[in-house]
Amino acid sequence: MSKILKIHKLEKTYTSGSKKLTVLNDISFEVEKGNTFSIVGPSGSGKTTLLGLCAGLDRPDSGAIELCGTPLQDLNEDQLAQLRNKEVGFIFQNFQLLPTLNALENVSVPLELQGAKNATKVAMELLDKVGLADRAHHYPSQLSGGEQQRVALARAFSNRPSILFADEPTGNLDEETGEKVVKLLFELNQEAGTTLVIVTHDLELANRTQQILRLKGGKIIMNETTAVS
Ligand code: ADP
C-alpha cells in the first residue's frame, strides 16, 4: 500500500509577545492511502495544529510533510493552494459556512472559483447525497448544526479529494446527528476510497478508524493499529 501522508520530525512553536510555546515536538507518522486515521488527545495537546499542518493550511517551523507524493516544503503558497484544491477536503468543528450564501451556493461557489463548469449541478447532487436536497435554498442560520455540518461535508467533498481532514466533525452535534455525519464520512471512505484523517475526542469514533495517533503535550505517546484494519 502507498502512503498518502508522510510526516517527519515536525516542530511547531507559537509566539505570543515574548513567550514561545512549542505545541508540536518531534512528530513523525504515516497514513496509508485509503485508510481511516484518527488523532486523539487532551485539549491543548496540539491536534488541531497538527491537522492544519498536514492539510497545508499552515507551515511547520521544521520537519517535512509529504502529501499525495508532494513535499509541501517545496511548494510556494500558490502551488500549495492548487494542491489543496485538487487533493484536499477540510471540515471544521464550527462548520465555517459563509452566512450570506445558501446551502447550495456554499457548495457550488468554491467549485465555480476552481473553474468547474457544472458547479450548481454537482453541488445539488452532493447535497442530495448528504440528504439535504430539500434544504438547498436555506441559509446557514436556517439550518440545524447537523444540517450545517452535512453542507460542510458536501463542500469538503465537492472537489473529490483524495484525503479529507475533519477537525472534531461531531464536536458540536448531539449523538444521533453526529452519527449521521460519521456514517457519511465512512461511506465516502468506502465508496470513493477517500482517506480520512479525523481529530476527535470521541474514543468510540476513533476505535472505528484503522489507526489511532494519541498526542499529549505536543508529542506522540501512542500510534496504534486498531482491530478494524
Ligand atoms: P488541541 O486541538 O489538541 O486542543 P491546539 O492545536 O488547538 O490543540 O492547540 C495547542 C496549543 O497551542 C494550545 O496551548 C493552544 O492554546 C496553542 N495555540 C493554538 N493556536 C495558537 C495560535 N494561533 N497562537 C498561539 N497559540 C496557539
Side-chain angles (χ1 to χ4, degrees):
M1 268 184 137
S2 64
K3 314 285 181 195
I4 193 162
L5 181 65
K6 289 186 189 178
I7 302 294
H8 185 66
K9 289 190 174 297
L10 273 200
E11 308 273 345
K12 179 73 180 175
T13 299
Y14 288 119
T15 310
S16 100
S18 59
K19 281 196 187 149
K20 278 195 163 184
L21 178 70
T22 299
V23 284
L24 293 173
N25 188 3
D26 195 21
I27 302 287
S28 301
F29 66 93
E30 294 181 338
V31 179
E32 301 275 0
K33 192 168 174 24
N35 261 17
T36 52
F37 187 97
S38 53
I39 302 172
V40 302
S43 183
S45 57
K47 303 181 299 295
T48 295
T49 302
L50 178 58
L51 202 70
L53 294 176
C54 292
L57 298 176
D58 193 10
R59 303 268 195 181
D61 295 321
S62 64
I65 301 169
E66 190 184 298
L67 180 62
C68 302
T70 307
L72 299 191
Q73 61 274 17
D74 293 353
L75 304 182
N76 63 30
E77 294 311 311
D78 284 348
Q79 292 166 327
L80 190 57
Q82 268 175 32
L83 180 75
R84 279 202 311 267
N85 286 342
K86 187 159 166 262
E87 307 280 5
V88 175
F90 203 97
I91 299 179
F92 300 88
Q93 180 172 2
N94 55 359
F95 326 131
Q96 295 209 4
L97 299 178
L98 292 167
T100 54
L101 301 183
N102 66 29
L104 183 64
E105 291 161 344
N106 261 285
V107 183
S108 68
V109 168
L111 274 174
E112 274 162 24
L113 291 174
Q114 287 170 36
K117 290 196 184 80
N118 50 357
T120 303
K121 183 169 171 278
V122 172
M124 200 60 211
E125 283 165 7
L126 283 161
L127 284 182
D128 191 33
K129 165 89 185 135
V130 299
L132 288 177
D134 60 340
R135 298 284 194 283
H137 298 286
H138 288 225
Y139 287 84
S141 62
Q142 300 168 318
L143 298 170
S144 71
E147 289 168 344
Q148 289 184 59
Q149 191 59 306
R150 281 187 281 152
V151 175
L153 207 169
R155 179 182 60 182
F157 196 65
S158 62
N159 58 341
R160 304 267 153 184
S162 339
I163 185 162
L164 190 63
F165 296 93
D167 191 358
E168 297 275 14
T170 59
N172 281 331
L173 307 177
D174 64 60
E175 206 176 315
E176 196 185 327
T177 316
E179 179 54 31
K180 269 190 198 163
V181 168
V182 167
K183 207 164 151 261
L184 281 166
L185 283 170
F186 281 97
E187 262 175 43
L188 292 178
N189 170 257
Q190 288 293 312
E191 290 169 11
T194 312
T195 308
L196 295 182
V197 181
I198 305 173
V199 162
T200 183
H201 63 271
D202 178 351
L203 293 185
E204 210 179 303
L205 167 56
N207 277 321
R208 286 157 71 182
T209 66
Q210 289 161 301
Q211 208 174 337
I212 305 178
L213 188 83
R214 184 180 292 276
L215 293 184
K216 193 173 178 192
K219 289 191 171 167
I220 295 176
I221 56 164
M222 190 195 82
N223 182 357
E224 71 168 18
T225 305
T226 67
V228 178
S229 41

